[in-house]
Amino acid sequence: MNILGIHSGVTIGQHDPGAALIMDGKIVAVIEEERLIRIKSPRAYLPIRSIAACLKEGGISIKDVDILAHPGETYEDMPARIQSYMRHYFGHCPEIRMINHQMAHLASAYYCSGFEDAMCISWDAYGDRLSASFATASRSDGIKVMETRDSEHSLGNFYAALTSYIGFDAGEDEFKVMGLAPYGNKRIDLSRFIRPSNDG
């Protein structure tokens, strides 16, 4: 079975377009569009070149793809958009399977980890109207989500707000703040900005 996973600019603001090809359970190719178009973290770009590169690496055509997977299962208009652009650029669209954004994060971490059993956490800005999922995972039972957080409790949005608060671009500079984190000063009190509460 050939599975093509894509993340794309089907909607305005979607970031980090790219594609991955799995053939008979093995990852054959993974590439982000930015590597091919030479634009760092492009937003709202379709991963046209990434898809073509994955297909070339696998030695197959789009008609050999059994399933096209894409995050965004809670957005009803997404499959029609994906189908339209796949037919426009590639002349064919495989069967589309919409995946929950948080489940995509959980699966990509777990199935590439090498662990038999694991606790998995996905905690980002938001996707599919959730900002976090907590799950258990095993090779025999797959991934079972135990708990989720809605987007109003987004750790990613907090991180973006703090990035902006200290003078960086919240949409593009998070990686710079991560790089600066080891040089932080623990004496700075951020309690007026964020503090723990009894309910977490």
Side-chain angles (χ1 to χ4, degrees):
M1 175 170 284
N2 299 324
I3 301 170
L4 179 67
I6 63 171
H7 184 259
S8 64
V10 178
T11 60
I12 288 177
Q14 262 188 327
H15 57 86
D16 301 320
L21 179 62
I22 298 172
M23 299 177 74
D24 297 324
K26 295 192 185 217
I27 298 171
V28 172
V30 178
I31 189 162
E32 284 198 28
E33 195 75 359
E34 73 172 22
R35 301 298 181 198
L36 303 171
I37 63 173
R38 311 303 252 168
I39 298 171
K40 182 78 174 152
S41 299
R43 289 187 178 267
Y45 274 73
L46 300 170
I48 298 158
R49 291 167 189 85
S50 299
I51 292 169
C54 286
L55 295 174
K56 182 178 179 183
E57 186 67 25
I60 62 173
S61 77
I62 193 67
K63 291 189 176 178
D64 297 314
V65 174
D66 299 296
I67 294 170
L68 188 151
H70 191 289
E73 72 173 1
T74 61
Y75 301 99
E76 293 177 9
D77 65 334
M78 194 79 79
R81 290 179 184 209
I82 294 167
Q83 187 177 73
S84 176
Y85 99 68
M86 288 300 293
R87 285 186 175 157
H88 176 76
Y89 287 103
F90 296 95
H92 174 76
C93 184
E95 175 191 340
I96 297 172
R97 297 256 181 105
M98 299 305 293
I99 309 298
N100 182 280
H101 177 96
Q102 301 299 329
M103 181 59 81
H105 282 307
L106 296 171
S108 67
Y110 172 65
Y111 288 113
C112 295
S113 72
F115 291 115
E116 287 297 316
D117 301 291
M119 173 73 190
C120 302
I121 299 171
S122 168
W123 207 326
D124 63 0
Y126 54 85
D128 278 307
R129 299 176 174 87
L130 296 174
S131 67
S133 286
F134 309 97
T136 58
S138 73
R139 298 291 171 179
S140 57
D141 296 330
I143 298 172
K144 297 190 186 243
V145 175
M146 302 181 315
E147 199 173 325
T148 61
R149 296 281 186 276
D150 60 32
S151 55
E152 72 181 36
H153 296 105
S154 169
L155 186 62
N157 284 349
F158 161 71
Y159 188 79
L162 189 59
T163 298
S164 178
Y165 181 74
I166 62 174
F168 290 88
D169 182 342
E172 305 297 330
D173 289 341
E174 287 94 340
F175 70 97
K176 293 177 186 175
V177 176
M178 280 190 268
L180 291 170
Y183 304 102
N185 187 336
K186 294 180 183 179
R187 294 173 298 183
I188 296 172
D189 181 9
L190 293 175
S191 60
R192 71 186 181 95
F193 194 75
I194 188 171
R195 59 194 164 277
S197 62
N198 291 334
D199 65 355

